[in-house]
Amino acid sequence: RRISWLPVYTEAPSEGLLWPDEKANSGFAPATRVRMIDDQWLVSASCFLLNAEVHGRRLRECLGFTDKIPPKVLTTQLLGYSSQLRQLKEKSMEKELTLTREKLV
């Protein structure tokens, strides 16, 4: 489970997905750090996403894909979304201030 052999996405597969720079790698990762694409919105800040399909239930279990998502991974994801939302709000407020200043001048 520690050998980097599973194919993973090197770019975010969905717009708005949290995607750390670390993920621009060789395109392979160990099973212990990989989750299936179905979990992307819950784990993308700290796990690699499998760029393949795994149909067999037993194989999914062996690779750890059916394990519960650790609380630390979920917490990291929530903190990432919180930060992303804060940045969007700040940009929106800056834009409003700029428009208001332009109206005043």
Side-chain angles (χ1 to χ4, degrees), residues 38-90:
D38 298 347
D39 295 334
Q40 67 181 323
W41 295 102
L42 300 173
V43 302
S44 66
S46 49
C47 296
F48 292 96
L49 299 175
L50 184 67
N51 191 0
E53 293 183 27
V54 179
H55 298 286
R57 180 187 57 82
R58 184 72 182 124
L59 181 55
R60 286 182 188 198
E61 289 173 0
C62 288
L63 293 171
F65 295 158
T66 58
D67 295 351
K68 291 183 179 179
I69 299 170
K72 182 177 180 179
V73 171
L74 293 172
T75 301
T76 301
Q77 194 77 6
L78 289 172
L79 290 171
Y81 284 132
S82 175
S83 175
Q84 197 175 53
L85 180 60
R86 186 173 33 257
Q87 290 172 1
L88 287 173
K89 283 183 178 180
E90 287 173 4

